[in-house]
Every structure is written in structure tokens, then in C-alpha cells.
Amino acid sequence: MTAISGDIPESAGQSPSMVRMQASAPSITMARKRISQAVKADPLDSPGRVVVVYFTPRDRPPAANHTSRIRRIVEETAGFYESELKRHGFANRSMHVLRNQRGQVDIIEVVGEETNYDKPDGRRIREEVIPVLRQRGIDADASVLLLFCNLMDYDPVAGKISHHSPYYGGGNHLSGTAWQCDSEILDPRRFRDPTPIRDGEYGRITIGRHNSIFIGGVIHELGHALSLPHCRQRPDEADRGTALMGSGNRTYAQQLRGEGKGTFLTQTHALRLAAHPVFNRQVPRSIHDRPSTDFNNLLVSAGPRRSIQVSGQISSTIPAHAVVAYFDPDGGGDYDATTASSVPDPQGKFALHSGPLRPKTSGELRLVSCHINGTTSTRSLRYSVNADGSPDLSIARLELELKPVMDELQTGNFENAKTRLGEIANSDPDLMKIGQRVLDRFQNLEPPISIDANQIPSDTKSAWLSTIRPQSAEVGWLRPTYNSVPDKQRLLSLGGDYFAHGIYAHAPAKHVYELQKDWKHFSGRCGIQGNQFGRVDFEVLGDGKSLWKSTQVTAGVGKAFDIDVSEVQILTLKVSDGGNGGGGDWGVWIEPRLTR
């Protein structure tokens, strides 16, 4: 292993604990030079800019003093990003905002076609905004839209406020949209306002805290429009307050009221924004090119104090000025992901260190290379942490070191897979054990849907459901498949592990089986296939009645079930969309087994 601390390769005798959680000051200097040299070599005036829009339904006037207030909010937002980038070593980066001839923030007013708009209507509102932008010569698909919606309901007499506005964001390095809500009391000048108010979501708070939450929300959602994902602060970062892209939207400017330490931008996200076109007046001409990137020689190992160390070498068609990592525990979205960052040395070598991870968790490690033209590339691996805090990296090793074995299984050649395992892991008992565990699942692979339920001998103690012909089967994408998935991946995969028996069930899916009360238990696991990004609900029904259900299931190790089916004649497996659309909803039932 060649470990890298910042941009300087460690000597062989150096302690692995010296691998940094974040890049050193000299490394930041190298990253900054890498970006500036790329710009000087082939410069292009940056197309990146934030376009501010004020949207109001046709039956209500704009909130009082909206023009001056929105300008102050935008200047506050720009000031936060600029000061945080400077703190991280990226000075002379200002947020490019569309301005009028007097240098003021240009606010483009749009009146809605209808009177009723609600939280899910972000796309509908954006579609009404686009023609107005087009008249101004603005391409919404080449801009970052900061879209304030006049959809807050404020009652100054009763001291109440609530909103029914879209309040989210998303984008890439070339374009994005952040939907915000506005009211007459939203103003950076009121961060210290002690006036009590009842907020529909946050209860009894002050107007000052309301402004922290919702102006912090402007900055947070704009972060998403600038392509930043969620993350939280590490313990060693806690002295600075709360990470913006965690729950830092709620703590913004709280230090002005003596209520906390406020909000900061992590180094990881400063490195991502350092090459973003919105913060650079000139960019490389390669801004529209997508990099072809390889994370070579990846090595994931257990570090000191419940941590994970990662090293490797990045090669790309567009140079990378940083590699950042998200250690994201399952079950919390990505809000609780902690970060680490590194600047590759001139040969592309990098190393980083997670810091302490929470015991008894599993999660996803996302490595993201940040390129000098503002683009990113991602490689994902699975990890888990045992009860004693020690990392379990068997799944990561399976993917990184035993890929040739999995490739042979993917082609259906078990004997070749067995041979490759012997060649690769002959001198590594732990790696041999990891590979053998997977091979054991395929040793006696039974053919799919090869028998009718009523033909199974009565003395059979157990049966894989994937070997039994269903009474009916339907899936939401491609075709019903058993003991595999219907694409080039082929192998059933859950949480980075691989399985021989299972049922592909892209939502909406329904599989129906005749049990005729012949079985006692139905057990197994369910989840999202491989690295798919969907969110689904799983349900098992017996004779039309729900026996077990798990909702909002996303990528990870999935959910286990063990259900009494002794009185069930007709068993139904259902998979439905989890509420975020059908994209990536590759549900799978893993090792579904009937026992007598």
C-alpha cells in the first residue's frame, strides 16, 4: 500500500493514523494551482451564474418589500459561500449573480397562471418560469435558478406563519434549481428579532430563529442546485458548528442570538465548489466534457479508532484536483454522511481517513473525484461496522479484490470462478473465506421456476420460492426473472453482496403463488438491487391480507423477514414505488425460502 497524506506520499514507516481526514494547506494550494493552470491553458468565459426569480400566484400580490429583502438574502447567501471558500484557501471566488446595470441583484418577476400551488409543484412552477426567462434571453437549462415562491402564509395579528411552497433543490455543475419560500418577515436584518411566532412546522420560535431556518434554507437548497449532496460534520469539525449540507440550514446565524455556533461549509464541499463555474469568471474549455475516470489500485483497510482508510490512484481524461469521500450509514438518507478529503499527488495517488464511525452500522462509501472543469465522478463501495467498532470490509474486498471471481459467476461458469478464487486468495485466508461464502451459495444452484407448487414432494423440508412457478407474475420494467436480474449485471446483489437465489421485482411488481397451507414459514430478505437508486415498499400478503410490510426501502443491506404462512393458501409478493417515482426501483427478493 502506498498511502498519501495530503499530496505527499507517506514513508513506509509512517503511522497509518497520519492519513488525514482532510487535505492540508499545502495540498489546497496544489488543488488551487491545478484549477488555475487548466484555465490558463485553454480559457473560456464562464457561463455559470445564479439567476434570481420571484414567483407569485396570480391571485396574490408579492410579499411586502420583496425586492429589497430578496436582494439582501441573495447578498447574504453569496457572502457565506465566498467567505467559506476563502477560509478553505480558495480566495478570489465570488458567486456570479445576474445583476442589473446598477449592480443590483436582478430579480425576474413571474406571475403564475393559476392560484393554487403546493409543495410538490416545483416542476410545474419552473415550467411557468421558463418562457419568461426565454424572453430575457436566459436559458434555464444553462443557469442556476434561485426561485423564490410567494407561498408563505403569514398572519401578523395571530403571530402565525406556515408555507405550502416547494422547498428543495438539485443540479449539476452546469445548471440547477433551488426552490425557496418567501414572506414579508424573511430578511437578514431580522436575525436578532426576538418577536415570538408560531411556525407551522417548527412550533413556537422567534422571528430571528425563523430567519435562521429559512435563510439558512436558501443557502442549503442553493447548495443542492450547485450539485452538493448532504453531509454532516465530523466530531473534529464540531467546534465550527453545524455543516451547511447537514442540518446547518437550521442553525445559520444562530450565533448572533447566542444560541449556538452557527453554520459552516465543509472542506469536502469547498473542494467541490472550487472549480464550479458559478464561482469562477473563467473556466477550462472542457467545461462541457464528461471525464472518463478510473479509481485504480483501491485499497480499503481498517484504521485506528473505529475508522476506515482508503488509498488509490485516480486516472482521468480530465485532471482531478481533489478526491473526497462520503461515509454514509444506511437508514438516514445521506444527512448523516461524514466526509474526508484528499488532493491527489502528481501521479494521481491519494489517501484519506474516515475518522470514527458509529458501531453496529452498515453503509455506503462514495468516493468522488472533483475535476478541474467542475464535473465529478463517483465510485461506491459497501462497508459495515461491528458492535465493537471494528470495520467489516469483507464486502468492499469482495468487489475490489474478487471481481474476477464475480465476473466468472456472472457468465455462469462456477468452476472457473472456483479456480480464480484459488489463484487470487491462495495466500490470504480471510479473502478466501469471503469468496468461499459467495461460492457456497452457487454450489448447488437450483434451476429457476422448475417445478409447480403441487408437485413438490411432501417430505421436502424447504424450497426456494424462485424455483417454484408462480400463478402469475408482473414487473414494472423489463421481464420477470428468477435467480438473476434481466441486465448485463445478471447476478442478484444486495448491499454489495451476491446471491444465487432470488426474484427480480422492479416496482410495480406482483408475484402470486399457491401454497395451499402446505408450508409453515416464509423467510428471506428484500431490498434494492446493486447500486440502483430507487425507493420502494415491499409487502407480503396471505389470501389478500397483509402479513408483513417494509416501506421506503433504499439501497443497502435490505430488510429481513420471517413470516408464519401455515394458514395461507395464496401468497402474494408486492413491490410498489416508495413515493419518489419509478426510476431505479429495482426491487429484489433475496433467498426467499419456504419451510415446513
Side-chain angles (χ1 to χ4, degrees):
M1 168 184 176
T2 303
I4 313 300
S5 177
D7 58 300
I8 304 171
E10 293 183 311
S11 65
Q14 192 168 6
S15 167
S17 64
M18 294 298 292
V19 179
R20 299 175 184 270
M21 287 179 280
Q22 61 180 33
S24 63
S27 299
I28 294 296
T29 300
M30 177 178 286
R32 190 171 62 245
K33 287 181 177 178
R34 216 168 269 172
I35 296 168
S36 62
Q37 288 169 355
V39 172
K40 289 178 182 176
D42 196 9
L44 178 73
D45 288 342
S46 176
R49 63 180 175 180
V50 174
V51 176
V52 180
V53 178
Y54 194 87
F55 177 89
T56 191
R58 64 179 174 84
D59 65 336
R60 66 194 298 178
N65 304 312
H66 75 287
T67 300
S68 57
R69 288 187 301 97
I70 296 302
R71 283 175 175 158
R72 287 193 288 271
I73 292 169
V74 174
E75 299 293 5
E76 178 78 20
T77 299
F80 171 82
Y81 278 111
E82 290 162 16
S83 64
E84 284 294 276
L85 282 168
K86 182 178 180 180
R87 179 175 67 83
H88 284 294
F90 296 100
N92 302 318
R93 278 170 168 77
S94 58
M95 192 172 91
H96 185 196
V97 181
L98 180 65
R99 296 178 181 272
N100 61 26
Q101 292 181 342
R102 289 178 289 180
Q104 300 168 313
V105 173
D106 193 354
I107 302 172
I108 299 174
E109 310 269 352
V110 178
V111 177
E113 298 173 2
E114 306 294 337
T115 59
N116 294 317
Y117 299 88
D118 213 331
K119 294 179 181 180
D121 291 331
R123 179 174 295 183
R124 175 183 163 203
I125 290 172
R126 188 178 186 276
E127 288 174 352
E128 293 186 24
V129 165
I130 287 174
V132 179
L133 297 180
R134 193 177 294 126
Q135 290 175 2
R136 291 279 305 268
I138 297 170
D139 182 357
D141 293 326
S143 306
V144 176
L145 304 185
L146 187 53
L147 207 169
F148 289 88
C149 301
N150 181 23
L151 294 172
M152 268 189 165
D153 300 310
Y154 174 55
D155 184 341
V157 176
K160 294 181 179 180
I161 194 165
S162 61
H163 81 86
H164 52 98
S165 171
Y167 191 46
Y168 34 78
N172 55 43
H173 75 296
L174 294 174
S175 65
T177 303
W179 290 265
Q180 316 293 335
C181 44
D182 180 52
S183 77
E184 64 186 76
I185 64 171
L186 198 66
D187 191 337
R189 292 179 175 176
R190 304 187 74 171
F191 281 134
R192 292 184 173 90
D193 192 330
T195 306
I197 192 171
R198 180 181 287 277
D199 185 280
E201 183 176 355
Y202 296 97
R204 291 186 179 277
I205 57 175
T206 64
I207 286 180
R209 188 177 171 210
H210 172 86
N211 274 278
S212 281
I213 292 169
F214 286 95
I215 293 178
V218 171
I219 302 171
H220 176 104
E221 300 305 339
L222 180 60
H224 287 316
L226 295 167
S227 80
L228 299 183
H230 290 126
C231 74
R232 64 166 294 157
Q233 62 280 357
R234 297 188 310 267
D236 64 294
E237 298 172 312
D239 283 347
R240 290 207 168 272
T242 307
L244 171 69
M245 299 311 293
S247 54
N249 53 319
R250 300 180 184 181
T251 60
Y252 187 79
Q254 64 176 192
Q255 72 275 12
L256 300 179
R257 300 185 302 277
E259 295 175 359
K261 298 177 180 178
T263 298
F264 73 98
L265 187 73
T266 62
Q267 186 192 73
T268 291
H269 285 160
L271 284 164
R272 291 185 69 143
L273 293 181
H276 196 290
V278 161
F279 294 99
N280 291 273
R281 289 296 177 265
Q282 287 191 313
V283 294
R285 199 169 296 273
S286 63
I287 184 173
H288 296 287
D289 297 341
R290 294 297 307 176
S292 175
T293 305
D294 290 315
F295 292 85
N296 299 314
N297 305 318
L298 275 178
L299 182 60
V300 181
S301 58
R305 296 184 296 278
R306 308 197 319 270
S307 67
I308 294 174
Q309 295 183 158
V310 185
S311 65
Q313 186 172 18
I314 189 162
S315 61
S316 178
T317 53
I318 296 174
H321 64 274
V323 175
V324 301
Y326 298 84
F327 298 86
D328 186 6
D330 291 334
D334 54 356
Y335 279 94
D336 52 356
T338 54
T339 63
S341 49
S342 175
V343 174
D345 74 1
Q347 288 74 46
K349 295 177 181 177
F350 67 91
L352 40 79
H353 178 265
S354 70
L357 298 172
R358 198 165 67 240
K360 295 192 292 186
T361 58
S362 59
E364 182 180 51
L365 161 59
R366 291 187 295 278
L367 289 173
V368 181
S369 56
C370 305
H371 302 276
I372 49 86
N373 67 346
T375 57
T376 57
S377 306
T378 303
R379 174 72 188 272
S380 297
L381 298 167
R382 296 290 306 176
Y383 71 89
S384 61
V385 185
N386 298 318
D388 64 0
S390 61
D392 180 352
L393 301 173
S394 58
I395 297 301
R397 295 194 72 190
L398 177 65
E399 181 172 346
L400 293 176
E401 299 174 62
L402 296 180
K403 186 178 184 301
V405 179
M406 298 305 107
D407 289 344
E408 293 294 348
L409 286 179
Q410 187 173 311
T411 62
N413 198 322
F414 178 82
E415 290 302 321
N416 280 4
K418 189 174 179 180
T419 300
R420 294 292 282 135
L421 177 61
E423 294 170 350
I424 295 169
N426 184 49
S427 59
D428 188 335
D430 290 338
L431 188 60
M432 178 67 76
K433 185 178 179 180
I434 293 168
Q436 192 60 53
R437 184 192 66 216
V438 176
L439 290 189
D440 287 346
R441 296 172 184 152
F442 289 83
Q443 179 77 51
N444 297 306
L445 177 61
E446 298 180 26
I449 53 172
S450 56
I451 191 170
D452 293 323
N454 58 12
Q455 295 177 339
I456 299 175
S458 59
D459 60 351
T460 300
K461 297 300 183 184
S462 67
W464 299 111
L465 193 65
S466 58
T467 66
I468 301 174
R469 290 189 187 90
Q471 186 182 77
S472 63
E474 54 191 65
V475 297
W477 177 251
L478 299 176
R479 64 188 185 280
T481 312
Y482 307 85
N483 294 348
S484 66
V485 291
D487 75 344
K488 63 180 181 180
Q489 164 65 33
R490 192 174 176 277
L491 296 181
L492 290 157
S493 178
L494 196 62
D497 207 350
Y498 296 92
F499 300 89
H501 294 95
I503 299 171
Y504 162 75
H506 190 295
K510 184 167 73 171
H511 293 77
V512 180
Y513 294 86
E514 294 184 66
L515 300 191
Q516 302 300 330
K517 301 183 181 181
D518 285 340
W519 303 91
K520 288 185 179 180
H521 286 275
F522 176 52
S523 62
R525 290 163 63 193
C526 57
I528 293 290
Q529 163 72 17
N531 290 322
Q532 295 293 332
F533 55 87
R535 184 174 69 200
V536 301
D537 299 338
F538 289 90
E539 187 173 17
V540 179
L541 301 97
D543 300 323
K545 296 179 180 180
S546 183
L547 303 177
W548 179 87
K549 191 171 186 178
S550 185
T551 60
Q552 308 290 293
V553 178
T554 56
V557 296
K559 304 294 181 180
F561 56 87
D562 190 347
I563 306 165
D564 183 350
V565 292
S566 55
E567 295 299 316
V568 173
Q569 295 199 56
I570 300 295
L571 181 74
T572 303
L573 311 185
K574 287 183 64 176
V575 182
S576 52
D577 170 51
N580 65 339
D585 282 355
W586 287 60
V588 285
W589 300 92
I590 296 296
E591 296 187 335
R593 184 194 293 267
L594 292 167
T595 54
R596 296 196 196 271

